[in-house]
Amino acid sequence: MPSSTPPRWPRSKTKLALAAAFAAATPVAALDLASQYQAEPHLSPLPRTDAERTRIEAVTAPAADFSAPERFEDLPAGAATVRARPDDEAFSQHSANLSFEQELEFKLGNGLFKKIWVFSPASTLASDGLGPLYNARSCQRCHLKDGRGHVPEQPDYASATMFLRVSIPGPVPPELRAVHDYIGTAPDPNYGSQLQDFSAPGIAPEYKLQVAYEDFEVALNGGETATLRRPGYTAANLGYGPLAKGAMLSPRVAPPMIGLGLLEAVPAADILAHADEEDADGDGISGRANLVWSREFNRIMLGRFGLKAGMPTVHEQSAGAFAGDIGISTPLFPAHAGECTGLQTACQSAPHGGGDSRETEIDQPNMDLVAFYSRNLGVPARRNADDPNVLRGKQLFYDSGCAACHVPKYVTHRLAGRPEQSFQLIWPYSDLLLHDMGEGLADHRPEARATGREWRTAPLWGIGLTQQVSPRATFLHDGRARTLLEAVLWHGGEAEAAKTRVVELPPEDRAALISFLESL
C-alpha cells in the first residue's frame, strides 16, 4: 500500500460532529446515549478543566509521523505500565504505580484469585462452596497465568478455560424497556445461562463440550496462503434433558486480565464519542454502545467488559464469574446453588458453603480484594516500538483501517479514590464498542443490545505476549485462530474492507503488520 495513503482515524472531527448532530436529532424515546447513560457511579470522577481537555485532544490525536514512535508509546498503561518479562509471568505483575499498602491488597486478591475451592461440607470453611455445577475450581484455572484460555483437547476432554453460554428468546425486562433496541433473552429453563461441565459427587454435570474443525485455505497476495479452521460446537451428553426450543449457544474462551481497571476508568463520554450507529459519515464503521442493567448500582449503565460488553464494572464482572464459572455465591449473586436451575433439584438441595457465620460463600471484603486485583494487573511495556519494520506495520495498521475500531489511545478520568488509574494516557487499541463482525464470526446469540453478529472490539495491548504466557492460547472469542494473521483473516462485516486490504498487501508488508501487533 502506498506510504502516502493518509492514516484512517476512528472518528475524525468531522465524524464526531456528524455523530453529535445525529444524537441531537434523535428523540429521547429512541435512546439518546450521550445524555442518558454517561453516569459512572462506580468512579465518581472529577470534572475536566478546559485546559485538560485541550491537552487530552492533543495527546490523543492520530499518529501523523510513522518514522519514530509517538511520545509515551512505550508505556501503554501510563505510569501503571510494568516491564515486559520474558517468561509466563508477564501478565501477573501488579501495576507499577501501586503504593506499598496497595501491593499487600493486590497480593491478598491474588491469593483469592488462585484459591482452589472445595465442595461443602469441608473442614476448610473459608474455601468450601464449590459448585455444585461449575466450569473451574478457581479464577486462575480459566485465566491461565492471568492470560487467555484455550480450546479443550480432543478427544480427551480436560479444560476449564472454555464453555458455552446459552439463552432462549424472552421478554425485555421492564427496567430495560427504555433501551429501544434491547433484545430480550432468558436462561434455558433446564440449564440456565451457561453450561457447566463439572459437578459435585452424586450430581450429573450438564454436558460435555465437543469441538470439531473444518480447514479451508485463503489465498493471499504474493502467492501466499493461510489455512483457517471453521469450528463446530456440540453440547454432548446433556445431563438434564434436551435444550429448550430456540436455545442459542455461544462459545467463550477466557480473555486476558491485564489493564481492566484502566479500561474501567476511560470516560464513558470518550467511548460514546466513537459510536456512529447510523454510519453518518458513510465509512462503513458503525460502532454501538452496549447498555446493560447493573445489579451493583440498580441502573442502566454502559457495558465495557465481556466479549459482548455485557458487564458494566470489574466488580460485577468478577462476581458474575464466581457465580457462573465456580458456583460461588457473592453479595451481588447470592444464590448458593450458583447456576443451578429450579428444575435441577439435586443441585438445589446439595450442601453449600453459606450459613450463619457467612451469608454468602465469598463475602464483600474478599470480593473487594478480588476486584482490586483484577483492576491492577499490569500491562507490559511495548517491545521494539522503534524498530523500522514495526513502525512500517503501524502505518499499515492505520492505512488498512484497523484503527477505526481498535482505537489506539485515551486519557482516563481523574479519580480521587483510585490514583493508580487516574489521568493516565493509555494505549488499549479498542473502542470498547460493538461491531458487526460478519457471518463468519457470528454466534447468533444476542446479549443486551448486541446482536448475534456483534462483538466488542478486543483490546490489543499485550497481545504479542499471549502465547509466551500460555503456549496453548489462541485468539478470537472462541480460540479458533491459532495466529494473529488467522485472527485478522476471520474479520468480516464492518471489518471486511480492512481485512481485504491486509489480504492484498505484499507479503513483506503483511509481515510488518504482524510485527507491529506482536510488539503491542
Side-chain angles (χ1 to χ4, degrees):
M1 184 167 290
S3 60
S4 59
T5 302
R8 290 169 53 90
W9 185 241
R11 299 290 181 260
S12 64
K13 289 184 178 179
T14 300
K15 173 150 240 171
L16 290 175
L18 285 168
F22 174 79
T26 302
V28 171
L31 191 61
D32 182 351
L33 292 174
S35 65
Q36 291 191 49
Y37 300 114
Q38 287 190 35
E40 296 163 304
H42 58 304
L43 296 176
S44 301
L46 301 175
R48 288 175 171 174
T49 66
D50 290 341
E52 285 175 341
R53 283 192 286 270
T54 299
R55 288 172 57 199
I56 291 167
E57 183 178 357
V59 78
T60 58
D65 177 8
F66 298 96
S67 64
E70 296 172 77
R71 192 179 183 193
F72 307 121
E73 191 173 1
D74 58 331
L75 300 174
T81 305
V82 298
R83 71 183 181 92
R85 291 178 58 129
D87 56 22
D88 62 3
E89 297 293 327
F91 289 170
S92 299
Q93 305 171 79
H94 62 73
S95 298
N97 56 351
L98 294 189
S99 68
F100 179 80
E101 292 77 15
Q102 288 175 317
E103 287 183 31
L104 175 59
E105 193 172 351
F106 179 88
K107 290 174 181 176
L108 291 171
N110 186 20
L112 290 163
F113 196 81
K114 292 180 176 179
K115 174 189 276 196
I116 303 297
W117 294 85
V118 298
F119 300 118
S120 298
S123 58
T124 54
L125 296 180
S127 298
D128 71 342
L130 174 66
L133 297 173
Y134 63 99
N135 295 110
R137 293 182 61 192
S138 73
C139 307
Q140 185 77 212
R141 288 196 174 185
C142 287
H143 304 275
L144 301 172
K145 291 290 186 177
D146 304 296
R148 289 183 59 82
H150 54 70
V151 298
E153 293 182 338
Q154 302 290 336
D156 295 326
Y157 176 73
S159 174
T161 67
M162 185 180 188
F163 63 81
L164 294 176
R165 290 209 183 279
V166 59
S167 57
I168 61 174
V172 175
E175 63 271 20
L176 287 158
R177 288 174 186 164
V179 182
H180 77 286
D181 55 356
Y182 192 95
I183 304 170
T185 60
D188 183 283
N190 282 338
Y191 292 94
S193 59
Q194 74 185 59
L195 295 177
Q196 284 87 17
D197 39 10
F198 298 106
S199 60
I203 296 175
E206 290 188 319
Y207 83 127
K208 177 179 179 180
L209 174 61
Q210 294 180 348
V211 187
Y213 293 101
E214 175 191 355
D215 290 350
F216 65 98
E217 285 197 347
V218 175
L220 307 173
N221 185 30
E224 296 185 341
T225 61
T227 301
L228 304 187
R229 54 180 189 172
R230 182 180 291 109
Y233 302 98
T234 302
N237 301 348
L238 289 168
Y240 298 89
L243 293 166
K245 183 179 179 180
M248 301 168 284
L249 298 174
S250 181
R252 302 295 172 88
V253 168
M257 296 291 296
I258 58 173
L260 299 184
L262 293 164
L263 295 178
E264 189 174 53
V266 174
D270 291 358
I271 296 170
L272 294 173
H274 293 288
D276 184 15
E277 297 202 14
E278 302 300 316
D279 192 18
D281 66 352
D283 71 348
I285 307 298
S286 51
R288 305 192 316 125
N290 206 356
L291 296 170
V292 299
W293 184 257
S294 171
R295 286 185 177 223
E296 188 175 3
F297 296 102
N298 201 36
R299 64 182 302 158
I300 297 171
M301 290 179 62
L302 175 68
R304 300 173 187 241
F305 302 104
L307 293 165
K308 286 182 180 273
M311 282 290 187
T313 69
V314 171
H315 172 250
E316 199 157 341
Q317 173 77 12
S318 302
F322 266 110
D325 300 348
I326 313 178
I328 296 296
S329 57
T330 72
L332 270 184
F333 296 88
H336 295 306
E339 266 275 301
C340 298
T341 68
L343 298 177
Q344 295 170 335
T345 54
C347 183
Q348 286 288 348
S349 60
H352 58 75
D356 295 337
S357 61
R358 50 178 183 153
E359 294 182 5
T360 55
E361 290 158 335
I362 185 170
D363 60 16
Q364 193 56 54
N366 281 326
M367 273 305 309
D368 291 340
L369 289 171
V370 173
F372 184 85
Y373 174 78
S374 300
R375 288 190 187 103
N376 285 290
L377 282 159
V379 179
R382 283 282 305 278
R383 288 86 51 216
N384 307 317
D386 58 352
D387 182 279
N389 198 48
V390 169
L391 290 167
R392 175 62 179 157
K394 177 184 175 181
Q395 180 172 3
L396 291 163
F397 183 86
Y398 276 71
D399 290 351
S400 297
C402 304
C405 301
H406 291 283
V407 175
K409 47 190 170 174
Y410 299 89
V411 173
T412 61
H413 273 305
R414 280 200 184 278
L415 300 172
R418 284 165 54 177
E420 63 276 9
Q421 280 109 37
S422 180
F423 211 59
Q424 300 296 322
L425 172 62
I426 63 172
W427 305 70
Y429 287 89
S430 171
D431 60 7
L432 300 178
L433 296 173
L434 300 171
H435 293 275
D436 183 336
M437 295 299 294
E439 189 61 27
L441 288 178
D443 66 349
H444 302 293
R445 177 185 174 273
E447 186 173 336
R449 296 183 80 214
T451 70
R453 290 168 56 104
E454 288 182 316
W455 299 94
R456 184 198 69 160
T457 305
L460 298 182
W461 52 10
I463 198 166
L465 297 174
T466 298
Q467 290 170 332
Q468 173 185 299
V469 169
S470 179
R472 287 183 56 197
T474 46
F475 304 97
L476 298 177
H477 67 279
D478 57 1
R480 70 178 68 185
R482 293 158 293 189
T483 67
L484 291 175
L485 178 59
E486 286 185 33
V488 172
L489 295 176
W490 271 108
H491 283 50
E494 295 175 46
E496 181 69 30
K499 185 269 298 289
T500 299
R501 294 186 187 100
V502 174
V503 169
E504 294 173 348
L505 289 174
E508 60 273 17
D509 281 351
R510 201 160 41 243
L513 174 65
I514 299 303
S515 293
F516 166 69
L517 295 176
E518 290 173 342
S519 77
L520 295 178

